[in-house]
Amino acid sequence: MTRVVVVGDLMTDAVARAKFPLARASDTPAVVTMHGGGSGANIASWLAVEGSEVAFIGRRGADITGRNRDMELMGYGVDARLVMDPERPTGTCVVLVTHKGERTMLSDPGANAALSPEDLPRDLFTAGGHLHMSGYTLINEGSRDAGLAALDMARRAGMSISVDCASAAPLERTGAEPFLEWTDGAKLLFANADQAKVLTGRDDAAAAAKVLTAWFPQVVIKLNAEGSLWYSNTRPEPVRAPAEVVDRVVDGTGAGDAFAAGFLPVWLDGKPAAEALAAGNALAAKCISNLGARPRL
């Protein structure tokens, strides 16, 4: 089994699910719940619960929230390598979910923005392992040097590398060219259709994936209800897998993270892309059937 090292963000998600259309500048009844979050930490949690050996590198505040997030990761079976920040709080994301299920996220990275190259445990970067890099670490200017250092250490160690695009809006603010330059050398890119469009300008997901294979040997595009596709620079056509049928969507937060956690172990085991896509779709379906972005403890 390949050990996966995840470098990324650790957050607390405050999920507010509105019962009615949002009454702007007034009150709207909602159900508010708190959950562990952060794209990188979510992926690590799902990987561990599904049986992978996984370490997570991140930064948390010296607060109760940070302690709780740390204990959660250990409860999932993650080798949590968290540096405690004495000044910044643990990151927080307010997730606004409309009565129709549309999500808007307001993020305060907190301690995540102070992740530094010195926070990276050297013992985790060894030949035969795999590094998964959360795009948020590269997009955030404060943690970018740590992300670039981790990518360099992984390349030097001979590790395989995958990168996630994070989110379309911050990716667009950062710019496609810098992001593609920073992630040079990664073997696999995860994106959704909106992120792929930001990077390529292409509306069609398959066309965008084909363009992206000029930078990444393999590209996976998450297509929500339409499933997912995989494109390789050695194949003329993409491989597609349909989404699993879900009786009731409870919460879409973290579905893309769960997908990546389902895909990676199968892909790292050298199995066909169709099988890896199906595993990713299955774990994403499991995620959206639960409240919050993490597995149930």
Side-chain angles (χ1 to χ4, degrees), residues 142-163:
S143 57
R144 186 174 302 149
D145 284 348
L148 294 174
L151 290 170
D152 183 62
M153 289 167 63
R155 293 187 196 104
R156 291 174 181 272
M159 299 170 71
S160 56
I161 301 171
S162 58
V163 177

Side-chain angles (χ1 to χ4, degrees), residues 21 30 88 101 147 265:
R88 300 181 185 229

Side-chain angles (χ1 to χ4, degrees), residues 42-43 45-50 244 254-265 276-290 293 295:
N42 294 341
I43 290 173
S45 300
W46 284 105
L47 280 167
V49 165
E50 292 298 307
E244 292 211 352
D257 302 330
F259 173 90
F263 182 95
L264 277 173
L277 291 172
N281 291 343
L283 206 57
K286 186 176 181 179
C287 179
I288 65 177
S289 300
N290 298 325

Side-chain angles (χ1 to χ4, degrees), residues 236-274:
E237 297 295 332
V239 175
R240 296 176 180 267
E244 292 211 352
V245 177
V246 177
D247 294 333
R248 178 170 173 262
V249 176
V250 176
D251 183 4
T253 309
D257 302 330
F259 173 90
F263 182 95
L264 277 173
V266 181
W267 178 77
L268 288 168
D269 201 31
K271 295 180 180 177

Side-chain angles (χ1 to χ4, degrees), residues 106-247:
L106 305 172
S107 299
D108 177 356
N112 292 300
L115 188 70
S116 72
E118 290 71 31
D119 295 335
L120 305 174
R122 270 51 180 176
D123 65 294
L124 294 179
F125 293 84
T126 58
H130 177 81
L131 172 68
H132 179 78
M133 173 64 63
S134 169
Y136 287 106
T137 302
L138 296 171
I139 288 171
N140 190 303
E141 188 175 356
S143 57
R144 186 174 302 149
D145 284 348
L148 294 174
L151 290 170
D152 183 62
M153 289 167 63
R155 293 187 196 104
R156 291 174 181 272
M159 299 170 71
S160 56
I161 301 171
S162 58
V163 177
D164 188 88
C165 282
S167 183
L171 182 63
E172 188 169 22
R173 288 193 295 269
T174 299
E177 187 174 347
F179 185 83
L180 293 171
E181 181 181 342
W182 297 330
T183 54
D184 180 52
K187 185 176 181 179
L188 174 66
L189 177 75
F190 289 100
N192 63 25
D194 291 338
Q195 295 155 10
K197 182 179 178 180
V198 169
L199 291 178
T200 66
R202 303 296 181 92
D203 288 307
D204 180 74
K210 186 174 183 178
V211 170
L212 287 168
T213 57
W215 286 274
F216 308 95
Q218 299 181 42
V219 176
V220 171
I221 309 292
K222 299 166 284 186
L223 300 171
N224 297 324
E226 296 179 21
S228 55
L229 68 84
W230 170 88
Y231 219 123
S232 168
N233 58 10
T234 61
R235 292 177 58 94
E237 297 295 332
V239 175
R240 296 176 180 267
E244 292 211 352
V245 177
V246 177
D247 294 333

Side-chain angles (χ1 to χ4, degrees), residues 15-22 95-105 224 249-254 288:
V15 182
R17 298 174 57 84
K19 293 184 177 181
F20 306 105
L22 294 178
V95 184
L96 302 176
V97 185
T98 70
H99 66 298
K100 293 184 178 180
E102 183 181 60
R103 291 179 297 121
T104 299
M105 291 171 282
N224 297 324
V249 176
V250 176
D251 183 4
T253 309
I288 65 177

